[in-house]
């Protein structure tokens, strides 16, 4: 049974990883991360992953300050992908967005879909910054699948082309307090999405539009209004626990 190796450092590499002995050349950014940030040494063994081929042990072969290759040794864990949960959110200001993207990545979402709503404060979004936060979070925790990052869409446009088989869990700050677990227990495991609104909450029009959709399930996250980045973690924890892979689903 493959084990979670919490001790070894992890590095994301986009190269394919299919057999021992393969050599992967590090980029300058990776060399800086390995030797100046992680303070590793030539010959050290790390874990590398690409989001497709599982996680591999690899040895650092440093030729000089600017040249290093990673030699694949053996696969530690085969690729697993986790549940089909998409995360829809209204872009937040920089630091909160960094935090939110890192946490939803750790919570194993399959896809990150920024959406613009009436009260969204950020009027542009830096997808490269989101990608960098996804990679940073995936290297620091043990995830194997890298979430797909979608281009931002307006909420109503996104819903107009919605896959009706995908249940949308709508975290509504205006919902009457009632058990989110009871709502989620009614949802069959499968294609799921979770929606969290902006600092300003959802407009009445957006809320009514959402509640009119057969694929929407509204949840309350309790009597206190949380910041959007907190609500993202709370909602995804509940979804993972009740219909995700936080239970043995073998
Ligand atoms: N105005 C506050 C919070 C806005 S609510 C702020 O400045 O951040 C941000 C989003 O978090 C909401 O749109 C909703 O999706 C979610 N949320 C926050 N508290 C919630 C609650 N008690 N129940 C359900 N969703 C909640």
């Amino acid at each position: 049974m493959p084990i979670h190796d919490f001790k070894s450092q992890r590095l994301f590499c986009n190269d394919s990883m299919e057999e021992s002995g393969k050599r992967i050349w590090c980029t300058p950014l990776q060399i800086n991360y390995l030797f100046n940030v992680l303070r590793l040494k030539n010959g050290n063994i790390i874990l590398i992953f690409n989001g497709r081929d599982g996680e591999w042990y690899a040895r650092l072969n440093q030729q000089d300050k600017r040249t290093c290759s990673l030699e694949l040794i053996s696969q530690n864990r085969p690729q697993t992908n986790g549940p089909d949960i998409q995360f829809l959110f209204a872009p937040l200001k920089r630091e909160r967005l960094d935090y939110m993207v890192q946490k939803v990545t750790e919570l194993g979402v399959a896809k990150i879909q920024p959406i613009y709503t009436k009260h969204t404060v950020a009027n542009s979004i830096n997808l490269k910054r989101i990608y960098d936060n996804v990679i940073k979070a995936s290297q620091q925790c043990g995830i194997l699948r890298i979430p797909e990052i979608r281009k931002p869409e307006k909420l109503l446009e996104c819903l107009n082309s919605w896959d009706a088989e995908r249940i949308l869990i709508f975290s509504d700050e205006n919902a009457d307090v009632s058990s989110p677990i009871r709502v989620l227990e009614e949802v069959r495991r499968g294609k799921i999405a979770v929606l969290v609104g902006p600092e300003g909450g959802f407009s009445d029009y957006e809320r009514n539009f959402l509640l009119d959709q057969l694929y929407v399930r509204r949840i309350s996250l309790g009597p206190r209004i949380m910041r959007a980045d907190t609500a993202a973690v709370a909602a995804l924890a509940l979804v993972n626990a009740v219909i995700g892979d936080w239970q043995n689903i073998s």
Side-chain angles (χ1 to χ4, degrees):
M1 171 68 184
I3 49 151
H4 242 296
D5 171 348
F6 289 103
K7 291 188 300 300
S8 301
Q9 297 289 354
R10 298 180 85 238
L11 181 75
F12 175 79
C13 302
N14 223 348
D15 306 64
S16 63
M17 300 171 190
E18 61 282 300
E19 57 190 6
S20 307
K22 174 169 183 179
R23 199 175 284 274
I24 294 173
W25 293 99
C26 296
T27 63
L29 270 180
Q30 289 172 332
I31 289 174
N32 178 59
Y33 179 62
L34 293 169
F35 296 102
N36 301 330
V37 175
L38 299 180
R39 299 244 176 263
L40 295 175
K41 302 279 182 251
N42 183 32
N44 282 171
I45 291 174
I46 62 170
L47 284 168
I48 61 174
F49 65 105
N50 59 14
R52 305 180 301 278
D53 301 327
E55 180 186 73
W56 288 70
Y57 282 112
R59 180 177 291 105
L60 302 184
N61 293 328
Q62 186 176 26
Q63 282 73 29
D64 58 45
K65 272 200 174 307
R66 281 195 290 275
T67 320
C68 177
S69 67
L70 301 166
E71 181 194 356
L72 289 187
I73 300 170
S74 61
Q75 189 184 57
N76 179 50
R77 286 189 291 157
Q79 185 62 26
T80 54
N81 284 326
D84 181 1
I85 298 175
Q86 299 181 0
F87 179 66
L88 282 71
F89 69 101
L92 305 170
K93 293 196 184 80
R94 184 177 286 243
E95 285 67 33
R96 288 174 68 180
L97 184 58
D98 292 348
Y99 170 87
M100 179 192 257
V101 169
Q102 292 189 27
K103 299 309 140 194
V104 307
T105 298
E106 292 173 52
L107 287 157
V109 299
K111 191 181 283 188
I112 292 176
Q113 172 66 65
I115 45 115
Y116 287 123
T117 67
K118 185 165 187 300
H119 299 144
T120 300
V121 288
N123 49 25
S124 68
I125 191 163
N126 182 335
L127 295 178
K128 168 79 173 64
R129 191 179 176 93
I130 289 184
Y131 177 78
D132 291 346
N133 276 298
V134 160
I135 296 305
K136 187 174 174 188
S138 60
Q139 288 181 155
Q140 289 168 348
C141 70
I143 67 161
L144 292 177
R145 173 184 61 188
I146 304 295
E148 179 191 345
I149 302 167
R150 304 290 295 226
K151 286 192 175 40
E153 288 189 58
K154 290 199 172 80
L155 175 61
L156 298 182
E157 285 172 11
C158 183
L159 297 179
N160 282 335
S161 56
W162 193 259
D163 167 4
E165 286 182 8
R166 183 174 296 277
I167 297 297
L168 175 56
I169 307 298
F170 167 33
S171 305
D172 182 3
E173 69 280 4
N174 276 17
D176 293 336
V177 176
S178 64
S179 166
I181 290 176
R182 200 162 301 134
V183 173
L184 294 173
E185 281 173 336
E186 301 294 311
V187 176
R188 200 169 36 84
R189 187 169 292 120
K191 299 196 284 188
I192 304 288
V194 174
L195 169 64
V196 167
E199 277 104 318
F202 288 99
S203 71
D204 290 339
Y205 181 81
E206 290 162 346
R207 177 171 291 103
N208 294 332
F209 185 92
L210 281 157
L211 295 177
D212 274 348
Q213 311 310 314
L214 292 175
Y215 54 78
V216 168
R217 302 292 181 276
R218 174 160 74 161
I219 60 169
S220 161
L221 294 172
R224 287 167 294 282
I225 298 294
M226 286 175 269
R227 289 173 48 142
D229 34 342
T230 312
V233 175
L236 284 168
L238 287 165
V239 169
N240 266 314
V242 180
I243 42 181
D245 62 355
W246 285 9
Q247 47 190 308
N248 182 352
I249 48 180
S250 48

